[in-house]
Amino acid sequence: MADGISSYQGPVTSTIDWCETNYVYSSCIAEFFNTISNIPGILLAIFGLIIALRQRFEKRFSILHISNMILAIGSMLYHSTLQRVQQQSDETPVVWEMLLYIYILYSPDWHYRSTMPTFLFLYGAAFAIVHSQFRFKMGFKIHYAILCLLCIPRMYKYYIYTNDLLAKRLAKLYVSTIGLASICWILDRVFCKQISRWYFNPQGHALWHVLMGFNSYFANMFLMFCRAQQLGWNPKVVHFMGILPYVKIQKQKTQ
């Protein structure tokens, strides 16, 4: 939210200026809370990547955790500068990440293995090129929502075919965090004028970042559990320090 304070980065050129007063805590960071709120997502992605690598999950899951990190870092660049170019580093990885989720969800039952990754790669590349040349506001949101909706049928199928209660809890945490995050995002956008007059700004968009960091982590762990179950790796959900759930597998030794 512009407040007239200048910075070395120049005027805001992004299509959206969020409901946080700019350059309050630093002349180098436009939206302080919207920037640092991506740190939990990065840490969770690093932890998930370690879990995937140490247990030798398929490479798709390592790439998925890395994409979560790239998205969070891109979001930090965007909110710290509010520049059009850095906005691309936030929005384009969002779409790429959703395409990766679609691949992971649907590829096990896809008979023509090369066609899906080829199509999704070309689609992601085409989107990046088009999105870099044209400014989409509502169109980008609708596009993102459609990609999310495409994931729901398969996620629901995995949920109903999973009998493990702790794995089901991962799915429920995924749904609850995206629900709470969406409420924070909507309230921050719709009631920004009223919120800006409050003594204390609840930082709804920053809460969106934190909740979506956990949301991505829970989604990844649930998908890792389901895939390990498909491969007969005897997965189970355990907790790091008794708090953070993650998937532990036991692969059968080959003779």
Side-chain angles (χ1 to χ4, degrees):
M1 187 170 59
D3 59 359
I5 298 177
S6 61
S7 75
Y8 72 93
Q9 291 162 358
V12 173
T13 59
S14 61
T15 59
I16 301 176
D17 189 359
W18 300 90
C19 195
E20 179 182 353
T21 307
N22 299 341
Y23 301 106
V24 172
Y25 299 96
S26 171
S27 62
C28 300
I29 302 177
E31 296 176 339
F32 181 78
F33 290 108
N34 285 348
T35 300
I36 66 171
S37 56
N38 287 284
I39 295 176
I42 295 175
L43 296 177
L44 288 168
I46 292 173
F47 181 75
L49 178 62
I50 293 172
I51 296 299
L53 291 174
R54 289 186 64 181
Q55 299 189 89
R56 297 184 179 180
F57 272 87
E58 293 169 302
K59 291 181 181 179
R60 66 187 71 179
F61 292 105
S62 297
I63 296 172
L64 183 59
H65 291 295
I66 292 172
S67 73
N68 294 153
M69 277 187 273
I70 292 174
L71 174 56
I73 293 170
S75 181
M76 293 182 75
L77 291 173
Y78 166 39
H79 288 287
S80 64
T81 63
L82 292 179
Q83 299 297 301
R84 169 63 179 167
V85 174
Q86 282 76 10
Q87 185 178 3
Q88 299 302 306
S89 69
D90 175 31
E91 294 180 346
T92 300
V94 167
V95 172
W96 288 350
E97 184 180 74
M98 292 310 303
L99 295 176
L100 184 55
Y101 276 119
I102 290 173
Y103 170 73
I104 291 175
L105 284 165
Y106 288 95
S107 61
D109 296 331
W110 195 259
H111 298 293
Y112 306 99
R113 294 187 177 182
S114 62
T115 56
M116 177 179 285
T118 301
F119 171 78
L120 293 176
F121 175 81
L122 293 175
Y123 186 92
F127 172 83
I129 295 172
V130 173
H131 194 48
S132 67
Q133 301 300 316
F134 301 96
R135 295 195 172 199
F136 301 106
K137 286 186 71 174
M138 184 56 66
F140 174 81
K141 297 180 182 68
I142 294 173
H143 181 232
Y144 174 70
I146 291 173
L147 293 177
C148 291
L149 290 173
L150 289 174
C151 295
I152 291 176
R154 184 55 61 125
M155 286 289 283
Y156 179 70
K157 179 181 178 181
Y158 281 174
Y159 176 80
I160 61 176
Y161 281 99
T162 299
N163 296 321
D164 189 277
L165 294 179
L166 291 178
K168 282 182 174 290
R169 185 178 296 175
L170 284 174
K172 291 176 181 178
L173 287 170
Y174 161 76
V175 173
S176 60
T177 49
I178 197 172
L180 289 173
S182 299
I183 292 172
C184 292
W185 190 94
I186 293 170
L187 293 177
D188 187 76
R189 292 298 296 164
V190 175
F191 299 104
C192 180
K193 290 183 179 180
Q194 293 87 335
I195 292 173
S196 62
R197 294 195 291 265
W198 294 0
Y199 177 76
F200 172 75
N201 186 338
Q203 305 297 341
H205 195 73
L207 290 173
W208 154 271
H209 287 157
V210 174
L211 289 167
M212 288 304 292
F214 279 95
N215 174 261
S216 297
Y217 176 81
F218 293 139
N220 295 356
M221 287 298 144
F222 179 68
L223 292 176
M224 288 168 68
F225 181 93
C226 293
R227 183 57 177 163
Q229 203 169 42
Q230 291 174 345
L231 297 173
W233 289 350
N234 300 316
K236 62 179 179 178
V237 177
V238 296
H239 292 80
F240 177 70
M241 299 183 66
I243 300 174
L244 187 64
Y246 69 94
V247 177
K248 185 175 182 180
I249 60 174
Q250 185 176 0
K251 296 182 180 179
Q252 295 180 351
K253 295 182 180 181
T254 56
Q255 299 295 330

